[in-house]
Amino acid sequence: MIAALNRLVDEIEADIGGEIDVAAVARRDGVTEYHLRRMFSSLAGMPVSEYIRRRRMTIAAADVIAGDELLMVAVRYGYGSTEAFGRAFTAVHGVSPADARRNGGPLRTQSQLRFRLTVEGNDAMDTRITERPGFRLIGHAARVPLIHEGVNPHIQEHIAALPAEEHERLKALSNTEPAGLLQVSADVDPDYTEGSELTYLHGVAVTEETTVPAGLDSIEVAEGTWAVFRTSGPHPAALQSAWAATATEWFPSNPWQLRPGPSIVAILERAPDFSTATCELWLPVERV
């Protein structure tokens, strides 16, 4: 995985103004594009597309300062017009190309990334691998923005809008694993871009044969393998730390990769004020 990420960085540097075929890099290294994008975003803290934009604008700044004709610079770095190039340049550097040329800056540099595997993992991760037949997730869904850290107020608002008796009705419908009330994230951007929209479902898992009650949304889940990570501690910090550790420690150390599908959080136990909780994080995986 580390080698695949570094090869992707090398491909970007070799053709900084061209179209980067992330899928082809993934195939050559025996992983999926979905997994490669998710690991890049988790480890680099930004999607592949944002890293490419920052690197292009870092290198393009030298051409702008040198006085090269702006349309030529724009085309050189993959932009069809000076307007599109200017927007990208300003988004990265905070100043327009004209201002940067006039004043010599200020400029923001994105260094070339290198991924390295460091020895961490002093704390064992409580993980199990399970094969599951197809099942159905039913409940109340909403489109919400992705937030990496802290409580997501949009999800919080969605759950708070449900009456207490609806939570009990949902729990009574659960008839298969993952058990109990679930927090489901589906249709997530493969780059895991903060602010991108996902489908959040507050509900339960039922068998494929179970009829969806009127008024509830549903997500069909295909049969497959799941990695299940058990977490305990301050909520949601412990859960988010475990999620990050899957990218930095577990996946680089195990012969599994993410496959498309929803991620599921099952709340097993929690404090009355939800300050602490014991959870299971279910991630769809497949052998590398």
Side-chain angles (χ1 to χ4, degrees):
M1 192 67 251
I2 299 299
L5 289 166
N6 284 325
R7 268 188 281 277
L8 176 57
V9 170
D10 290 340
E11 291 273 350
I12 293 168
E13 293 300 316
D15 190 13
I16 196 69
E19 288 295 323
I20 308 302
D21 192 342
V22 180
V25 176
R27 283 195 301 272
R28 287 199 299 271
D29 284 281
V31 298
T32 63
E33 179 184 3
Y34 181 87
H35 185 69
L36 187 61
R37 285 184 178 276
R38 286 289 295 272
M39 290 301 100
F40 187 102
S41 177
S42 296
L43 295 172
M46 71 185 92
V48 175
S49 57
E50 176 62 18
Y51 173 71
I52 292 172
R53 184 176 69 159
R54 292 186 187 183
R55 282 296 296 152
R56 282 176 174 168
M57 293 305 103
T58 294
I59 298 171
D63 296 347
V64 170
I65 298 298
D68 290 8
E69 202 271 320
L70 281 184
L71 181 58
M72 291 178 57
V73 176
V75 172
R76 188 178 301 152
Y77 294 99
Y79 293 88
S81 68
T82 55
E83 290 78 11
F85 174 78
R87 286 193 296 270
F89 191 95
T90 302
V92 171
H93 295 293
V95 296
S96 68
D99 287 339
R101 176 172 291 176
R102 185 181 309 111
N103 303 316
L107 301 173
R108 297 171 184 162
T109 299
Q110 172 62 60
S111 300
Q112 182 178 340
L113 290 178
R114 297 309 295 175
F115 294 89
R116 293 182 175 85
L117 183 62
T118 59
V119 179
E120 295 178 350
N122 294 327
D123 299 321
M125 298 186 72
D126 187 350
T127 312
R128 63 187 171 95
I129 303 295
T130 181
E131 295 287 337
R132 298 287 295 121
F135 59 95
R136 180 175 287 148
L137 295 162
I138 62 172
H140 297 276
R143 294 290 287 173
V144 300
L146 173 64
I147 294 177
H148 288 164
E149 294 183 8
V151 174
N152 188 318
H154 307 278
I155 291 176
Q156 200 172 38
E157 181 181 351
H158 174 63
I159 297 173
L162 301 175
E165 57 269 22
E166 184 61 10
H167 299 285
E168 295 305 317
R169 180 173 82 103
L170 288 172
K171 282 195 286 187
L173 292 171
S174 173
N175 62 12
T176 190
E177 278 201 301
L181 279 175
L182 308 174
Q183 300 174 350
V184 179
S185 298
D187 307 320
V188 181
D189 173 18
D191 285 329
Y192 219 60
T193 308
E194 186 158 24
S196 60
E197 281 202 335
L198 59 93
T199 298
Y200 174 83
L201 181 136
H202 182 76
V204 296
V206 298
T207 61
E208 285 183 314
E209 299 76 24
T210 303
T211 302
V212 180
L216 294 184
D217 302 299
S218 67
I219 298 173
E220 303 298 318
V221 182
E223 67 175 322
T225 307
W226 296 78
V228 184
F229 304 87
R230 190 182 181 95
T231 72
S232 186
H235 189 77
L239 177 63
Q240 290 169 338
S241 293
W243 207 310
T246 64
T248 58
E249 298 179 32
W250 195 81
F251 280 111
S253 306
N254 290 275
W256 300 94
Q257 63 184 0
L258 284 167
R259 59 181 173 86
S263 57
I264 304 170
V265 174
I267 309 296
L268 306 181
E269 298 176 358
R270 69 179 181 88
D273 62 356
F274 229 140
S275 59
T276 63
T278 298
C279 307
E280 282 188 342
L281 170 61
W282 289 61
L283 298 180
V285 297
E286 61 190 2
R287 285 295 296 260
V288 174

